[in-house]
Every structure is written in C-alpha cells, then in structure tokens.
Amino acid sequence: GALGVAIWTLASALDYAATELTHKIFFAKIEVIGSYSALALYALFVLSYVGADRWLEKKWFRAVFALLPLTNIVLTWTNEWHGLIWRGFSPAKNGENIVIFYHGPGFIWVGITGYMMMAVIVVNLWQASRRGSALSRNQARHLLMASLIPVISNLFYLFGAEQFAGIDWTSITFSISNLFVLTALYSTRFLKLVPVARYTLIEQMSDCVLVVNEDDEIIDFNAAARKTFGIEQKQLGADIRFAMKHWPEIAHLPDQQKDGDGKISVVHGSDGYVFDTRLTFMEDTRGQLFAKMIVTQDVTQKLRTEKALQQRLVQIQLLNDDLQSTQEQVVEQQRELAKIEERHRMARDLHDSVSQSLHSLVLFSETLMAMLDKEKYVRAKQIAIRLQESAQHSLRETRLLLYELQVSGVSRSVDFFRDLETRLATVEHRSAMQVELIREGSVEYCPPEWHENLFWIAMEALNNTLKHSRSQQVRVFVDCSEEFVELEIADSGVGFNLDSSHQGGMGFLTMRERAELLGGKLTVESQPTQGTRVHFIGYHTGNQSHGLH
C-alpha cells in the first residue's frame, strides 16, 4: 500500500511538471497503477485491523479486491482504443501547464468501484472509533481522519469550482493525511501495543487484561478488567499501584523480573478471591521492553465448586461405607433367617415323613404280631414285606435329613464333584440304593461359578427320587466338555404323569430357575411305571459361560 501511494504521488508530480500532452497522459496512467492498488490494499488492511478476518479468508472476496483495480488499470491503459475513461483533453484557463481530462462513461465505473472501497474503509474505521478502550478508539479516529481528507479533496476535484478545473488535490493532500497516520503510529503506539482485531480478541474476553508500559502506567485494559477491578477510563496513564491500590496483589505483579504463571489468593473484604494469572513481558525487535501484559482469570467459583464437590464426595463415601455395612448386616441376617427356615423345614419333614414312617412301622409290627398269633402266615409274610419297605423308606428319609442338617451348617463354597460324591455316599449308599455315577470329560471344563447351581439341581432331583420314586436304583451322569456341561439323574421308579400338577412343584421350579441362571435348558421326562429322567445341558466357550448373570 505504501509503495502504491509513493508511485501515485510521484507520478502526479511528474504529471504536473510535464509540458507535453503525451507525457501528461503517460504519467496519468502511472498514477492509476499507484492509486487503485493503494486503495484496494488499504481497504484490506482496515478490514484486518477491525477484526473482519473472516472476510479476508474468503477467496472470492480477495479476488474481487484484486480484479476491480486491475480492471480499472486495464481500462485506463487501453483508453486510446475505446475512449471510455478519457474522451478528450484541453488546456485549462487557470494555468499554462494544466490540462483538463474530460471523463468518458467508463470513468463512472471507476468512480463507483473506488468509492465502494472507500466506503468499506470509512464505515469500518468509524465503527472502530466508537468501541473498545480509549486508546484503540483514539487510534481509529486518527486513521479515519487520515482517510477522509483524500476523499474530500477528490470530491472537490470532481465537483469543485471551474477555476480549479484540471487540478486533482487528492495526491497533494496526502501530506496532511500522513500527519494523522504518524500521530496514530507514535502518539498512540499503534504498531506496538494494540494488536490487530483488538475488539474481537481482547475487549470481548471474559478474562481480565491489563497492559502497563515500562513505567508501570496503565495504557490499556478490557471490559472484564474494568468490571472486576473497578478501573475507569480516566485512570489510563496512571500508575497501576495507585489506580489499583485496593488490589495490591494484582498491582504489584509488574514488579516481577520475568514472565511467569501463578495462582494468587486475593482477599477482598470478607470474601476470598482466587485468580490464575500470567504476566507477559512485551519486547520490540531490538529486545527492548515496551509493555507488560497481565491476564487474570477469576477461578473463585470454580475452586468453591470443586471444594463443595470434594466435600460431597466425602459424604457419598461415608454413605457408601454405611450402606456397605448395612448390606453386610442384611446379608448376615438373611443367612441367619435362611438357617432358621431350613431348621423349620427339616422339623416339618421330620414330623411329616419320619414320624409318619415310624408310626407306620409300629402299625405294621402290631398287625404282623396279630397275624402270627392267628397263624395266618401268608398274610403275615405280606405284612413283613411292607414292614421292610417302610423301614427302608424311613432310613432314607432319616439319612436325607441328617445330610441336609450337615450341609446347612457349612458356609464354604460348593465343589460340585466332591459334594455330589459325598451326598451319594452319605444318603443313597447308606440307604441301600444302587447308585451308578458316570463321569466323562474333564473337570477343568466345568466353570467354578457353575458348581453351586449344578449341585443344587442334582440335590433336588435326587431328593425327588429318594422321596417319591420308590426306586432302588439311580443313575447320575455328568459330562464336562469344551462346548457344554451335561447333567442327568434317572431312576426306574413309579414315575408320574407330566400333565399333573406334580411337575409344577417347588422342586422343579427351583431347578428350572437355576438352569436359567446358567443359560442352560432343563427338561424332565417321566411316565407312570417308567421312571423319571431329569436332564440339564448348558453351553459355554472354554471355561466361561454365556449364560451367567
């Protein structure tokens, strides 16, 4: 842009110095190169200065600002072919060396595009002069005045008095514009202290921003700092230690000798404020310090929230400990209740089964004695057989109750294979039942977490066989393979009708629920006089079950 202005003003001077018309036209064309390019570049600079970078990032927008001046330059340099820019020339009456350029229709296009660019410049600088800090507004006002002077002089050239016809004051008044530019550069430290797009980057920040010069005088601050620290515009230029005497922890930050991050606690009245701060030393290209920037972020509410959250977490942990303790107490109480219920159940079984069996033994023995006294030996033999069956049934019931009483008092984890063998040896073998135990596969393919449910499925099936089947034989088959675990309990007893309500008893319901927990399937097969078969199969991968919940 500066190069374009230099070309413009130099060519303008040579234009007025030339005496030949051809020379004046040539230098006028050179002026066009400088003026149009300078205007377009200056418009782009102003857009960048006010923070409208989103427009500069658009390719079509940059293309427009490149094509418009290029089009005007081409039209001017080819004027001899079409006469659209200048349709004629004549000497001016107010000087021997001044020529009046009569504008053609193409000059209207040139004027419209030029003033469109000037509108972009003036409107954006006017807006910048009305927002932001006093320093940034002052800079924008100087640049606005520097931009308006050439506009006014150009309008005077186009619509001025006849005695000044042919004299373009635009390039001449650039000397006055440069005075405003120099003021913006040096008196307001335009190139050093205020970054491009300050309003977007700093003024709208929620963090507090303070800038002091090398003498620790406040030269800029944003709206957040004004609100938080109570700084006023009239305090620009004042020593920070005086202007912020109520905030000494912040005011003395510039006394540090190097950049640094830190967290400081600021006590203001009866409330404690905490700020995360950063002090940045700003140096020019020669390494000379010209400003210090303090950025503070109020994290008081954040820390208070974190503290409240920490306290809440402690309370939750205490509640969790209490809940865990309560759960343990509930579990222990449930265990005690289960033991009491188990004792009551065994007491009922003892009364319902064993007592009845013993009572029937007494009745059979009395009947047997009566038949022997009457010498009815055939009938006595039949009663003796019934007496033997009843005694065996009583023995089985007693063995079962003793075993269940023993199991209910054990709190260790279940080992399916060991506990199954113990059960068969303790109850079935001692009750004179013939037991066939068949094991296939490998124990390692039966997941440990399956053991308890498998054991109680087997117990329910064996109990039903012992109590209801009237069978002297039971077959137990277990197969643990890589793909599945299979369990089968079969007897050759009296069986039952699957359509009867017996199948829906609590024993079968419990077995099915345990089978579902293992993700397996339980089936029961039985017919009257054909015995009963309980079968379970559950699939898994390796030693891990798909069906565990």
Side-chain angles (χ1 to χ4, degrees):
L3 178 61
V5 172
I7 295 173
W8 182 10
T9 54
L10 177 61
S12 178
L14 294 174
D15 178 8
Y16 287 115
T19 57
E20 296 292 333
L21 178 61
T22 54
H23 293 165
K24 287 183 175 292
I25 295 174
F26 174 76
F27 288 126
K29 292 179 179 180
I30 297 295
E31 282 185 64
V32 168
I33 296 175
S35 61
Y36 292 161
S37 60
L39 186 59
L41 292 172
Y42 185 50
L44 294 175
F45 164 76
V46 169
L47 289 172
S48 178
Y49 170 75
V50 299
D53 296 301
R54 65 184 184 279
W55 290 102
L56 301 180
E57 294 173 357
K58 301 179 185 297
K59 292 183 179 181
W60 68 266
F61 190 82
R62 297 198 302 270
V64 169
F65 275 78
L67 290 175
L68 287 179
L70 182 61
T71 302
N72 294 338
I73 292 171
V74 170
L75 285 174
T76 303
W77 278 81
T78 59
N79 184 74
E80 286 80 1
W81 299 347
H82 48 71
L84 293 175
I85 304 299
W86 302 311
R87 56 184 175 81
F89 313 92
S90 67
K93 299 179 180 180
N94 54 0
E96 298 179 355
N97 201 31
I98 300 175
V99 175
I100 298 175
F101 286 65
Y102 294 101
H103 302 139
F107 191 80
I108 298 175
W109 164 256
V110 172
I112 291 174
T113 56
Y115 275 94
M116 285 175 58
M117 294 184 188
M118 284 304 306
V120 171
I121 295 170
V122 171
V123 170
N124 281 281
L125 288 177
W126 180 78
Q127 290 179 343
S129 68
R130 297 172 58 85
R131 65 187 184 188
S133 67
L135 187 62
S136 63
R137 295 200 303 271
N138 193 24
Q139 288 175 349
R141 283 195 292 267
H142 281 80
L143 292 178
L144 179 61
M145 291 301 299
S147 304
L148 287 175
I149 290 174
V151 173
I152 295 172
S153 60
N154 185 257
L155 291 173
F156 187 77
Y157 164 68
L158 294 175
F159 306 105
E162 185 177 353
Q163 60 268 30
F164 296 106
I167 302 176
D168 187 354
W169 299 88
T170 308
S171 60
I172 299 173
T173 54
F174 256 102
S175 58
I176 302 175
S177 295
N178 287 336
L179 293 176
F180 286 96
V181 174
L182 288 173
T183 304
L185 288 175
Y186 294 103
S187 67
T188 63
R189 300 188 178 188
F190 175 73
L191 297 179
K192 290 183 177 181
L193 299 182
V194 179
V196 173
R198 179 198 179 282
Y199 178 77
T200 301
L201 298 178
I202 295 180
E203 191 66 21
Q204 294 183 333
M205 286 177 62
S206 59
D207 295 347
C208 302
V209 178
L210 287 164
V211 182
V212 299
N213 59 17
E214 58 270 26
D215 297 324
D216 293 340
E217 296 171 341
I218 299 177
I219 56 177
D220 196 12
F221 55 84
N222 65 351
R226 179 169 57 250
K227 180 179 179 181
T228 301
F229 302 124
I231 308 174
E232 300 178 0
Q233 291 293 337
K234 64 182 181 181
Q235 291 175 310
L236 281 172
D239 190 291
I240 188 173
R241 286 177 288 270
F242 174 77
M244 297 184 60
K245 59 184 178 181
H246 298 297
W247 298 85
E249 295 84 358
I250 301 293
H252 289 283
L253 280 175
D255 296 338
Q256 298 184 22
Q257 300 301 315
K258 60 180 180 180
D259 293 5
D261 291 307
K263 183 183 291 185
I264 62 170
S265 295
V266 179
V267 179
H268 189 67
S270 59
D271 300 325
Y273 291 87
V274 180
F275 291 87
D276 285 341
T277 66
R278 178 171 179 81
L279 173 65
T280 302
F281 287 71
M282 306 171 68
E283 299 177 349
D284 58 21
T285 56
R286 296 173 297 174
Q288 298 295 319
L289 176 68
F290 65 85
K292 304 171 188 177
M293 183 169 66
I294 304 170
V295 180
T296 67
Q297 181 183 21
D298 188 352
V299 295
T300 308
Q301 189 59 39
K302 174 185 174 184
L303 293 179
R304 290 175 180 173
T305 303
E306 290 177 351
K307 184 178 179 180
L309 178 60
Q310 188 64 33
Q311 293 175 347
R312 187 59 178 166
L313 289 175
V314 172
Q315 294 175 354
I316 292 174
Q317 184 61 42
L318 292 175
L319 291 174
N320 185 56
D321 293 342
D322 292 341
L323 178 61
Q324 185 175 359
S325 176
T326 303
Q327 287 177 336
E328 292 175 354
Q329 294 175 2
V330 170
V331 170
E332 186 61 30
Q333 291 173 355
Q334 288 176 339
R335 288 175 180 172
E336 292 298 326
L337 180 61
K339 290 180 181 179
I340 294 173
E341 290 178 350
E342 183 67 14
R343 292 191 186 102
H344 286 310
R345 185 189 67 81
M346 287 188 289
R348 289 193 302 270
D349 289 347
L350 182 63
H351 177 271
D352 296 339
S353 299
V354 178
S355 296
Q356 291 179 11
S357 297
L358 293 176
H359 183 64
S360 64
L361 286 176
V362 173
L363 291 177
F364 280 133
S365 63
E366 291 177 350
T367 305
L368 177 61
M369 292 300 296
M371 292 298 105
L372 289 174
D373 290 339
K374 295 179 180 180
E375 296 183 354
K376 295 181 179 181
Y377 299 110
V378 176
R379 180 59 180 165
K381 184 178 180 180
Q382 293 175 348
I383 293 174
I385 294 172
R386 293 287 303 276
L387 178 63
Q388 184 182 19
E389 291 176 351
S390 181
Q392 289 177 346
H393 182 74
S394 298
L395 178 62
R396 293 174 186 174
E397 291 283 350
T398 303
R399 289 289 182 188
L400 179 59
L401 285 173
L402 291 173
Y403 174 77
E404 290 179 345
L405 182 62
Q406 180 183 2
V407 171
S408 65
V410 177
S411 59
R412 61 172 174 79
S413 60
V414 174
D415 184 321
F416 172 61
F417 301 99
R418 180 190 63 198
D419 293 342
L420 176 61
E421 291 178 353
T422 301
R423 155 65 193 248
L424 294 174
T426 303
V427 179
E428 276 72 18
H429 282 297
R430 294 186 180 183
S431 300
M433 287 189 69
Q434 296 180 9
V435 178
E436 182 183 8
L437 176 60
I438 303 173
R439 289 176 51 177
E440 294 184 1
S442 177
V443 175
E444 65 183 14
Y445 292 130
C446 183
E449 57 268 25
W450 284 37
H451 282 211
E452 182 173 356
N453 285 319
L454 286 173
F455 175 74
W456 289 111
I457 290 174
M459 291 306 98
E460 287 291 344
L462 289 171
N463 291 348
N464 288 333
T465 297
L466 195 67
K467 294 178 180 179
H468 308 295
S469 71
R470 301 178 188 175
S471 174
Q472 298 298 320
Q473 297 178 343
V474 63
R475 177 178 177 272
V476 180
F477 173 77
V478 182
D479 183 9
C480 298
S481 68
E482 246 183 302
E483 293 81 17
F484 58 85
V485 174
E486 185 179 9
L487 172 66
E488 180 181 286
I489 294 94
D491 64 64
S492 56
V494 298
F496 62 92
N497 188 349
L498 288 174
D499 296 330
S500 69
S501 60
H502 182 73
Q503 186 187 5
M506 291 301 295
F508 286 102
L509 180 61
T510 302
M511 284 191 288
R512 287 195 171 91
E513 288 177 350
R514 291 186 180 275
E516 290 175 359
L517 289 174
L518 298 178
K521 182 179 180 181
L522 183 83
T523 57
V524 179
E525 299 176 2
S526 184
Q527 290 183 7
T529 72
Q530 300 297 318
T532 302
R533 174 178 174 268
V534 177
H535 179 263
F536 165 81
I537 187 167
Y539 296 88
H540 61 81
T541 301
N543 289 335
Q544 298 298 321
S545 168
H546 291 312
L548 293 178
H549 300 287

